[in-house]
Amino acid sequence: MAVLWIVVVAILIIHTAPVATKEYYWEVEYMFGMPDCIEGPILAINGTFPGPTIHAVAGETIVIHLTNKLTTEGLVIHWHGIRQLGTPWADGAAGVTQCPISPGETFTYKFTVDKPGTHFYHGHFGMQRSAGLYGSMIIDVAEGQKERLRYDGEFNLLLSDWWHESILSQEIGLSSRPMRWIGEAQSILINGRGQFNCSLAAQVSNISLPMCTFKENDQCAPQKLNVEPNKTYRIRLASTTALASLNLAVQGHKLVVVEADGNYITPFTTDDIDIYSGESYSVLLTTDQDPSQNYWISVGVRGRKPKTPPALTILNYVIAPASKLPSSPPPVTPLWNDFNRSKIFSKKIYAAMGTPSPPLKFRKRLILLNTQNKLDGFTKWSINNVSLTVPGTPYLGSVKYKLKNAFNWKSPPRNYPMDYDIMNPPPFPNTTQGNGIFIFPFNVTVDVIIQNANALDANASEIHPWHLHGHDFWVLGYGEGKFRSGIDEKSYNLRNPPLRNTVALFPYGWTALRFVTDNPGVWFFHCHIEPHLHMGMGLVFAEGLKRIGYIPDEALGCGLTKHFLMNRNRH
């Protein structure tokens, strides 16, 4: 009996042990910085850019007290890749899951990081991501569990693009009639560092830029990766670019891709890796080259005509002097418009053994036509001819408290006319604006087919990386041309499709994904290119509405929810 009691007590201790918590106090404000050697305003967290890296283990609770010290702007932060199971209010999407945090106010995010992986966080109000509001989130395996990847050390590379024009000016230009396009970025940053109008490789490359020179502690000086010979390193990559698709290569070294968007994949070897805005990867690199030399790490633009020079840093074998530059030119970025190469890379990504398989059949399906349009002379992006405009009352509060006048409860179109010619500019370019959402029952399987088309200009169709909040989804396949219902489903990979939270939609093609509505809440689904979302390229999914639990009043202190909560609290 005594032994049984000891066992019961031990079980109770295990189940009542406090969950580990990491707590942070962050202040966000503008400051002057020189990310690419040119001074300008940046968004910093506690005076640092990029923001602090969050290191945690799976199962831990993260608490972040976020104070808005911007004098004229609201603020939110989205925890990209974190599913927010049971905490949809902490997702950090302005107008969807919470009100923007007003200047001078503090809002507390609290959520659990449920599984290991390489993630990041970024601003999700206006275009604050473009101003530098981002940082890394590295989640290691839970205590007592073993990491399935074997390596001797790791590095974290957060990739971004950088403009000298302020985000306010960019936003005004995108919202002007006619639109003033933001143009290509001035530089690519690696961990917030890049170089403008000079090159680290000027002496070994056929370019007209001068050689970069740095003073001690220059913010724009590259961070070198210091490695020992004959070791294997995990390089964690994440792209928080506002516009650019990127390609990374390490001179003379192979990369073994092992993780995508926080999910293990079947390893494969490549010379370089494409990474789209919103994606994250881990690659393994073995230092098996001549240890007396150093090697270029090069990050160049893909998918758009590159007017931005590649970002460069050095893989420094510790035997070689850190100041020693490679004697040959950096790797050449693949042609920007070689989309077949891009597709081949994406189609190499398969789930690792042990990854959950998708349900074999869907219950609901959306077929979403992605087009560029006009609205009273303004340039917009639309889905099934509706350009999204997020209302002043967060959707999460509206559906929780059944506020009928907060947005249009009628579902947007779930399909588009099948006679639409995706290969040419729209014959009738005018679109409409809307704020309707797709509402799904709890725990059903949903297929989403994203269909790309020609933009307003002839012979123009772009890559769009689509990101779903609150979920991972299975990427069932990619196809050329127009999706053919009843035919193209036969090409789906239902055996080992990768789990992702961001996926590329290629020019003039379609991408099919499948997810389960098992996370009660309201979730953004949108193009991760900052100006495209700003111009309406997004949707909102709501699921399990009767199961949405506690939402702190502080998240909903604006719009109609503000009045609802004030009246409720008076009684």
Side-chain angles (χ1 to χ4, degrees):
M1 192 64 163
V3 173
L4 179 60
W5 176 247
I6 291 170
V7 171
V8 170
V9 170
I11 292 172
L12 287 172
I13 290 172
I14 291 171
H15 282 276
T16 58
V19 176
T21 298
K22 280 192 163 64
E23 193 165 12
Y24 303 87
Y25 293 84
W26 286 0
E27 294 182 344
V28 176
E29 60 187 329
Y30 280 104
M31 58 184 289
F32 284 112
M34 301 180 68
D36 63 354
C37 308
I38 303 296
E39 186 177 68
I42 59 174
L43 274 172
I45 300 175
N46 293 350
T48 66
F49 165 78
T53 297
I54 293 175
H55 286 278
V57 300
E60 283 189 320
T61 295
I62 306 296
V63 179
I64 296 161
H65 307 282
L66 185 68
T67 299
N68 180 1
K69 297 194 74 175
L70 311 177
T71 55
T72 60
E73 297 176 49
L75 172 71
V76 296
I77 288 182
H78 169 55
W79 316 97
H80 188 111
I82 306 303
R83 292 184 292 183
Q84 302 293 349
L85 297 168
T87 51
W89 56 269
D91 186 55
V96 178
T97 60
Q98 72 172 105
C99 303
I101 307 164
S102 297
E105 293 190 347
T106 298
F107 180 79
T108 298
Y109 291 99
K110 184 177 182 180
F111 53 88
T112 299
V113 289
D114 61 306
K115 65 188 183 76
T118 303
H119 304 295
F120 63 101
Y121 60 84
H122 61 81
H124 217 299
F125 179 69
M127 292 178 65
Q128 290 175 345
R129 175 159 54 97
S130 296
L133 185 53
Y134 43 73
S136 296
M137 290 188 72
I138 307 302
I139 314 301
D140 288 314
V141 297
E143 297 289 351
Q145 294 190 12
K146 188 176 181 181
E147 169 63 66
R148 70 167 72 181
L149 303 176
R150 308 185 74 158
Y151 49 92
D152 302 299
E154 72 176 48
F155 298 98
N156 182 42
L157 300 183
L158 186 62
L159 310 177
S160 53
D161 41 15
W162 190 253
W163 280 260
H164 296 161
E165 182 183 10
S166 74
I167 59 168
L168 177 60
S169 177
Q170 291 185 43
E171 289 173 358
I172 294 171
L174 293 170
S175 303
S176 294
R177 183 172 54 186
M179 177 189 69
R180 298 186 186 182
W181 178 239
I182 64 173
E184 304 303 312
Q186 274 66 64
S187 48
I188 303 298
L189 307 182
I190 302 174
N191 290 344
R193 295 164 178 255
Q195 296 81 43
F196 177 72
N197 274 350
C198 70
S199 173
L200 299 176
Q203 293 180 346
V204 293
S205 299
N206 185 23
I207 56 176
S208 58
L209 293 174
M211 186 71 183
C212 293
T213 57
F214 304 104
K215 299 186 293 292
E216 189 175 358
N217 299 321
D218 269 359
Q219 183 183 352
C220 57
Q223 290 180 342
K224 298 178 181 180
L225 276 61
N226 301 312
V227 297
E228 297 180 5
N230 301 313
K231 302 284 187 180
T232 296
Y233 292 88
R234 180 180 189 172
I235 302 178
R236 297 178 182 266
L237 305 170
S239 174
T240 184
T241 56
L243 179 63
S245 303
L246 300 176
N247 178 274
L248 178 140
V250 182
Q251 185 180 38
H253 293 72
K254 299 287 187 180
L255 305 174
V256 181
V257 189
V258 291
E259 177 213 349
D261 291 356
N263 296 286
Y264 296 111
I265 64 171
T266 301
F268 67 95
T269 302
T270 182
D271 292 325
D272 53 79
I273 181 170
D274 283 343
I275 181 167
Y276 303 103
S277 176
E279 291 187 327
S280 63
Y281 289 96
S282 283
V283 299
L284 298 181
L285 177 146
T286 299
T287 50
D288 54 5
Q289 299 301 300
D290 181 354
S292 68
Q293 303 297 317
N294 291 327
Y295 301 86
W296 294 114
I297 299 173
S298 178
V299 182
V301 174
R302 293 270 280 137
R304 305 183 64 83
K305 193 169 185 179
K307 299 177 182 177
T308 311
L312 295 173
T313 189
I314 300 294
L315 186 75
N316 167 225
Y317 279 67
V318 293
I319 295 174
S323 59
K324 182 178 182 179
L325 294 176
S327 57
S328 55
V332 176
T333 303
L335 286 176
W336 70 273
N337 57 355
D338 187 352
F339 295 116
N340 284 332
R341 194 180 195 279
S342 306
K343 296 168 191 174
I344 289 170
F345 177 84
S346 293
K347 291 174 182 178
K348 289 180 180 178
I349 301 172
Y350 297 104
M353 288 185 63
T355 302
S357 298
L360 295 180
K361 295 183 179 180
F362 65 86
R363 182 170 162 188
K364 303 283 186 181
R365 183 165 75 175
L366 307 177
I367 302 180
L368 306 173
L369 179 66
N370 196 121
T371 56
Q372 190 181 42
N373 301 92
K374 290 288 188 178
L375 180 68
D376 298 327
F378 297 96
T379 303
K380 297 290 182 183
W381 288 95
S382 303
I383 304 300
N384 291 352
N385 209 41
V386 178
S387 184
L388 179 67
T389 174
V390 175
T393 302
Y395 288 110
L396 185 62
S398 300
V399 300
K400 169 75 171 176
Y401 299 119
K402 300 180 176 63
L403 304 181
K404 296 299 182 183
N405 297 322
F407 67 93
N408 182 1
W409 284 70
K410 183 181 178 182
S411 173
R414 292 172 176 256
N415 209 325
Y416 71 95
M418 286 296 106
D419 61 353
Y420 186 92
D421 182 3
I422 68 164
M423 303 304 294
N424 288 295
F428 307 103
N430 291 337
T431 189
T432 58
Q433 280 190 315
N435 58 22
I437 65 176
F438 295 98
I439 299 176
F440 299 110
F442 179 67
N443 211 31
V444 302
T445 301
V446 178
D447 276 15
V448 180
I449 316 299
I450 325 167
Q451 175 68 63
N452 212 342
N454 201 99
L456 286 169
D457 293 333
N459 303 312
S461 185
E462 301 180 24
I463 288 181
H464 300 287
W466 276 81
H467 171 57
L468 178 59
H469 293 217
H471 299 79
D472 284 343
F473 50 73
W474 292 275
V475 181
L476 302 184
Y478 307 88
E480 307 292 329
K482 189 184 295 185
F483 179 79
R484 300 165 298 173
S485 182
I487 299 175
D488 285 322
E489 294 94 334
K490 296 174 183 177
S491 69
Y492 284 178
N493 173 18
L494 297 175
R495 186 172 62 88
N496 57 354
L499 272 173
R500 305 295 301 265
N501 62 56
T502 304
V503 68
L505 174 64
F506 294 106
Y508 302 110
W510 55 264
T511 298
L513 57 94
R514 179 170 290 175
F515 73 101
V516 178
T517 60
D518 56 3
N519 193 3
V522 183
W523 307 106
F524 231 152
F525 180 49
H526 61 88
C527 178
H528 210 259
I529 291 176
E530 191 88 300
H532 290 182
L533 175 57
H534 187 76
M535 298 159 68
M537 195 189 295
L539 304 163
V540 177
F541 297 157
E543 61 196 66
L545 300 190
K546 294 181 180 179
R547 296 172 179 256
I548 295 174
Y550 167 76
I551 304 173
D553 290 355
E554 294 81 4
L556 302 174
C558 63
L560 298 183
T561 43
K562 172 184 175 182
H563 300 289
F564 172 84
L565 294 172
M566 289 172 61
N567 292 331
R568 184 192 67 177
N569 293 334
R570 287 195 187 105
H571 297 95

